[in-house]
Amino acid sequence: MSDSKITFSRRNFIRTSSLASGGLLIGFNLFNSCKPNAKAPVDLADLDYKDFNAYIKIAENGAVTIFSPNPEIGQGVKTAMPMLIAEELDVAWSNVNVVQGDLDTVHFQRQVAGGSQSIRLGWEPLRQTGATARQMLVNAAAARWGVDASSCKTKEGVITNAKGETLGYGEVVTEAAALEVPENVTVKDPKDFTIIGTDAVNVDIDKIITGKPLFGLDYKAEGMVYAAVVRPPAFGKILVSFDASEAKASNNVIDVIEFDNKIAVLAKDTWSAFKAKKTIKAEWKTDTELESTEDHDKILKDLLQDKEAKVLREDGNVAIAFAEADKILERTYEAPFLPHNCMEPMNFYANVTADKIHLVGPIQTPQRTAKVIASNLGRNEEEVHLEMTRMGGGFGRRLYGDFAIEAASIANLAKKPIKVVYSREDDMTAGIYRPASKYKIKASIKNGEITGYHLREAAVNGNMYGLIPNFFPAGAIANYKVDAANYQSKITTGAWRAPYTNFLAFAEQSFFDELADELKVDRVQMRLDLLQKVKGTTDEEIQYSPERLGNVIKLAVEKSNWGKTPDTIYQGFSAYYCHNSHVAEVADVEVVNGLPVVKKVTCVIDCGIVVNPIGAENQAQGGVIDGIGHAMYGDFAFNKGVPSSKNFDTYRLIRMKEAPVVETHFVENTLAPTGLGEPTLPPAGAAVANALKAVTGHRFTQQPFTKNPEHLRVQNKEIIG
């Protein structure tokens, strides 16, 4: 057991002693001590346990159900978060049943899937939940035996006293429910973990591979009808009028409804709704300027040159450093808009009645979405009941509940339970996009040293969030400045997997390779030397650990056989910190039929304790492949407000045969877990770009790399002898 005691209020818990089948029900406020308005412990007579979202249910037969609170978008929290509880509860993982919790705004906070923060923020509270339940069960057994609780031990749901007598959790669960909740509990020392750190198969895997209902698209309810929505054909257009006579005459069509500058077609099935939608003759007019990518490019380039920009961090004096430099290296890096393209298109169910607003579907921000819907419909938030389904991808797109808001608005007008379903074309043309952005990076060199560094960002609709300017190389260069400017556009933009860093890492890590070439020094050693300057820093704004970043770099060099591969393998290196984790990657590129092919990526991660290794490896691999695919192929543009692509016939994704082998290594330590859903994506593009430079001689500054196919041609090398 750990020496540290955990203290919290009894008000953090909700428990009952009279479950229908007998047993104990415990809930814990995950991320804060209980909210001021949280209820004290109550009996089941006053409590429907389904109204809570993160707790333990133990039946008299010993069966354990753990409710997982956060949305599951494939990042594995529905498996990993209950593992934390089960570890401290000390039950056999094979005997645990995991159930997705519903939204509960009264007792819990941050039921969000975003920012790779679920495990990091749940690490202590969820373990406390399990440890407290375990202690209550032990106390009940000790009282029955008339012994001191400290003399009892637990293992896999069984309590044993000093005499060797045993009681199963189910045998004492009713007595435990009547006891006081202990003020202090002891959590396990990592060396005693039996569940955390072991492979646990995805708890939904059987349902996923057998096609059982899990996802939003699977959800059905009695009396439900389907809605397909006609949306403006371009950003900047508004609805004037429409003729829906043909649609209304179509088979299985129930109604056509105008709402919020859109038109909804209600039908008995999706196919009928999609077909009828195409027959609607709508007239639109231009309300605001119709924007094009060509215009955005010019605007962003101008912003990079502007004297005025918002300073996000400034150390020393970069102006003096540049004025005194022997040489200045400057590069501009460019990234396009990108759609999210989740495998499961957007969808949501809504039924608005006088009593409640019932919502079901895939959403990364259930609380925020429920709040907006309640406000839009003039209802109290307490009237909203939102159930979360598993999501077929999110990547930030499902942070924005526009599709759920549509469903609620239509259901309110139709007075029917409805389900909005997007087609792929809807998903790609009416989406929330990664903002187009450009980065200009300048570095000054004096006497063979980097003396100044200036990063300027120009982006559509927003700029990098506040912590990013404090990532590497902040603190490593005396004269360091990060500033930003943005252009406000009508095109809807938002978070896209690893916001901003998904492209910034490529820009900065490509630039560092160029700096190393300019200085004629080893590119890896240059990074390590810069990190050495940060060690021992007292700057509390610095986000990364120079020691941990240095360690993943060294391990990546070792595991990738960096610099020691055959001449036919060209390597590229990258290292980056984001979402509280440190990652280094090495890409191996070979020439196949005259073209460079990414064959392998060695990925080293320090994300603290790895809760579920098999799930963590899947996340790491997915992030790397996602990063490579979009850096190589992802392109999206607008012409007079109209998206350039509507489906996968014109939007290029990485193909299965193009996915490299991803060899993943985790740094072993006993530090608390950090993010993993996003950190492996940002460095991937730079590792590949740096390898492509080695094989083609071309330096890529614009994504996607295939935008300049001539740069992907491998130069013929002179054969001697």
Side-chain angles (χ1 to χ4, degrees):
M1 297 293 179
S2 171
D3 292 335
S4 62
K5 299 282 186 178
I6 298 174
T7 303
F8 49 88
S9 168
R10 283 191 296 269
R11 294 179 65 244
N12 286 351
F13 282 82
I14 302 155
R15 58 184 183 146
T16 71
S17 57
S18 55
L19 291 174
S21 60
L24 173 67
L25 183 68
I26 295 178
F28 185 67
N29 182 320
L30 285 179
F31 303 114
N32 294 280
S33 57
C34 240
K35 292 183 182 180
N37 61 343
K39 300 174 184 177
V42 293
D43 289 332
L44 189 63
D46 303 313
L47 171 69
D48 176 358
Y49 71 83
K50 291 182 180 178
D51 286 341
F52 296 87
N53 74 330
Y55 47 88
I56 307 162
K57 176 182 175 184
I58 303 174
E60 289 182 326
N61 64 1
V64 176
T65 299
I66 297 177
F67 292 78
S68 184
N70 281 29
E72 175 59 71
I73 52 176
Q75 81 280 41
V77 295
K78 190 175 177 182
T79 303
M81 295 182 91
M83 287 175 72
L84 303 181
I85 297 174
E87 178 67 72
E88 297 294 345
L89 183 60
D90 212 352
V91 293
W93 178 248
S94 59
N95 295 334
V96 171
N97 177 42
V98 176
V99 175
Q100 175 68 59
D102 296 338
L103 172 67
D104 174 6
T105 60
V106 176
H107 300 93
F108 303 97
Q109 292 187 359
R110 207 188 181 280
Q111 278 186 275
V112 174
S116 302
Q117 298 298 298
S118 295
I119 294 297
R120 176 173 174 258
L121 296 179
W123 174 248
E124 288 294 345
L126 289 173
R127 292 169 64 213
Q128 292 171 19
T129 302
T132 300
R134 182 188 73 230
Q135 190 61 55
M136 292 173 71
L137 292 159
V138 168
N139 290 349
R144 184 187 292 191
W145 285 321
V147 301
D148 193 301
S150 64
S151 67
C152 301
K153 296 181 179 180
T154 61
K155 183 178 181 181
E156 295 191 343
V158 176
I159 306 160
T160 305
N161 65 20
K163 296 179 181 179
E165 297 172 313
T166 62
L167 286 168
Y169 284 178
E171 297 178 78
V172 295
V173 68
T174 302
E175 296 158 65
L179 297 178
E180 287 290 313
V181 176
E183 291 282 355
N184 298 291
V185 294
T186 304
V187 295
K188 291 183 179 181
D189 189 287
K191 66 180 175 58
D192 298 320
F193 289 161
T194 59
I195 295 175
I196 294 173
T198 63
D199 289 341
V201 175
N202 186 319
V203 294
D204 287 332
I205 193 63
D206 289 341
K207 291 180 179 178
I208 291 172
I209 62 177
T210 56
K212 290 186 173 64
L214 261 180
F215 299 90
L217 280 174
D218 298 324
Y219 185 81
K220 292 181 175 64
E222 186 176 352
M224 181 184 85
V225 299
Y226 294 87
V229 178
V230 180
R231 300 176 181 84
F235 288 90
K237 294 277 190 179
I238 59 172
L239 183 64
V240 175
S241 63
F242 67 95
D243 177 0
S245 55
E246 187 177 346
K248 290 180 178 179
S250 301
N251 290 335
N252 296 325
V253 171
I254 296 167
D255 201 358
V256 178
I257 297 173
E258 180 182 351
F259 76 106
D260 300 338
N261 196 40
K262 306 168 193 172
I263 308 159
V265 177
L266 275 58
K268 294 179 181 179
D269 55 74
T270 53
W271 181 240
S272 298
F274 287 163
K275 283 200 302 181
K277 169 185 164 181
K278 293 179 180 179
T279 69
I280 289 180
K281 300 174 179 66
E283 181 185 351
W284 308 86
K285 72 175 183 180
T286 300
D287 181 53
T288 59
E289 180 185 358
L290 302 179
E291 303 173 43
S292 298
T293 292
E294 185 178 344
D295 301 323
H296 293 151
D297 283 343
K298 184 179 184 307
I299 290 167
L300 294 182
K301 285 176 181 176
D302 289 344
L303 288 174
L304 289 180
Q305 304 305 323
D306 269 2
K307 292 182 179 179
E308 298 299 323
K310 182 179 180 181
V311 176
L312 304 179
R313 180 179 173 117
E314 187 170 17
D315 302 335
N317 191 317
V318 295
I320 293 176
F322 288 130
E324 296 177 348
D326 297 330
K327 185 165 187 177
I328 294 174
L329 182 66
E330 178 180 319
R331 292 290 183 269
T332 297
Y333 302 87
E334 305 174 71
F337 289 96
L338 286 180
H340 292 80
N341 288 324
C342 308
M343 186 60 68
E344 176 194 23
M346 300 304 107
N347 65 90
F348 223 80
Y349 167 86
N351 188 21
V352 180
T353 64
D355 298 326
K356 72 175 182 178
I357 301 171
H358 184 202
L359 305 171
V360 184
I363 184 70
Q364 290 180 244
T365 51
Q367 181 175 353
R368 184 170 69 184
T369 301
K371 184 175 183 178
V372 171
I373 288 172
S375 176
N376 286 354
L377 301 184
R379 304 283 287 267
N380 294 324
E381 288 182 54
E382 292 74 18
E383 297 177 75
V384 179
H385 175 71
L386 192 153
E387 300 172 33
M388 290 173 277
T389 63
R390 192 177 180 95
M391 300 175 231
F395 315 115
R397 175 62 182 94
R398 288 186 164 101
L399 290 169
Y400 307 94
D402 49 302
F403 44 92
I405 294 166
E406 285 183 346
S409 297
I410 297 167
N412 187 51
L413 292 170
K415 307 304 177 188
K416 291 181 175 66
I418 71 99
K419 184 173 182 179
V420 165
V421 179
Y422 282 38
S423 66
R424 178 59 60 191
E425 288 80 5
D426 292 332
D427 214 39
M428 201 174 287
T429 60
I432 308 289
Y433 306 97
R434 181 185 81 170
S437 61
K438 299 185 192 298
Y439 290 98
K440 183 177 72 173
I441 309 177
K442 293 172 61 178
S444 58
I445 298 171
K446 178 77 171 178
N447 298 327
E449 296 287 335
I450 304 169
T451 58
Y453 188 94
H454 183 193
L455 169 67
R456 164 70 62 87
E457 176 188 69
V460 174
N461 286 342
N463 294 111
M464 64 178 87
Y465 54 88
L467 297 180
I468 295 176
N470 301 309
F471 294 176
F472 181 78
I477 301 169
N479 302 295
Y480 173 83
K481 184 177 182 179
V482 179
D483 54 22
N486 71 78
Y487 166 69
Q488 289 300 308
S489 168
K490 293 293 183 182
I491 294 171
T492 51
T493 61
W496 189 96
R497 192 175 186 178
Y500 297 101
T501 61
N502 57 57
F503 180 67
L504 177 57
F506 156 75
E508 289 199 299
Q509 287 298 302
S510 296
F511 187 76
F512 274 110
D513 257 33
E514 287 212 65
L515 270 175
D517 290 341
E518 193 65 42
L519 292 168
K520 294 181 174 54
V521 297
D522 181 89
R523 62 200 71 248
V524 172
Q525 190 59 49
M526 183 189 74
R527 290 169 169 89
L528 293 173
D529 290 343
L530 287 169
L531 288 170
Q532 196 66 34
K533 297 179 180 180
V534 192
K535 290 182 178 179
T537 182
T538 57
D539 185 347
E540 295 182 355
E541 291 186 344
I542 297 294
Q543 295 297 306
Y544 63 95
S545 162
E547 292 83 5
R548 295 176 77 174
L549 189 53
N551 287 339
V552 295
I553 289 173
K554 293 172 185 176
L555 190 55
V557 166
E558 174 192 336
K559 296 298 184 180
S560 68
N561 204 25
W562 172 259
K564 300 176 183 177
T565 57
D567 291 342
T568 55
I569 297 176
Y570 301 83
Q571 292 187 306
F573 178 86
S574 176
Y576 202 71
Y577 163 90
C578 67
H579 299 88
N580 310 102
S581 293
H582 303 77
V583 179
E585 296 177 14
V586 175
D588 289 1
V589 170
E590 297 180 31
V591 179
V592 179
N593 297 325
L595 292 173
V597 176
V598 184
K599 288 290 191 177
K600 177 184 173 183
V601 174
T602 303
C603 179
V604 175
I605 308 157
D606 183 348
C607 59
I609 292 172
V610 177
V611 176
N612 182 12
I614 190 172
E617 186 173 3
N618 289 339
Q619 282 295 293
Q621 292 172 342
V624 170
I625 293 170
D626 201 7
I628 293 172
H630 284 91
M632 288 287 294
Y633 309 112
D635 200 8
F636 202 77
F638 293 88
N639 182 23
K640 296 189 180 301
V642 179
S644 61
S645 297
K646 295 183 178 181
N647 211 318
F648 293 133
D649 59 335
T650 54
Y651 184 81
R652 178 81 153 86
L653 289 170
I654 191 169
R655 293 162 183 157
M656 291 181 70
K657 66 179 182 180
E658 294 165 337
V661 172
V662 180
E663 182 182 292
T664 308
H665 303 273
F666 292 96
V667 174
E668 294 186 12
N669 58 44
T670 57
L671 299 173
T674 52
L676 192 54
E678 293 163 288
T680 65
L681 185 151
V688 170
N690 290 336
L692 290 175
K693 170 62 168 63
V695 67
T696 68
H698 290 291
R699 172 58 64 186
F700 291 84
T701 60
Q702 187 179 42
Q703 289 188 3
F705 303 154
T706 51
K707 199 174 188 74
N708 298 290
E710 67 279 6
H711 290 171
L712 288 170
R713 297 191 189 111
V714 178
Q715 295 180 356
N716 292 324
K717 297 183 179 180
E718 182 181 359
I719 300 175
I720 301 175

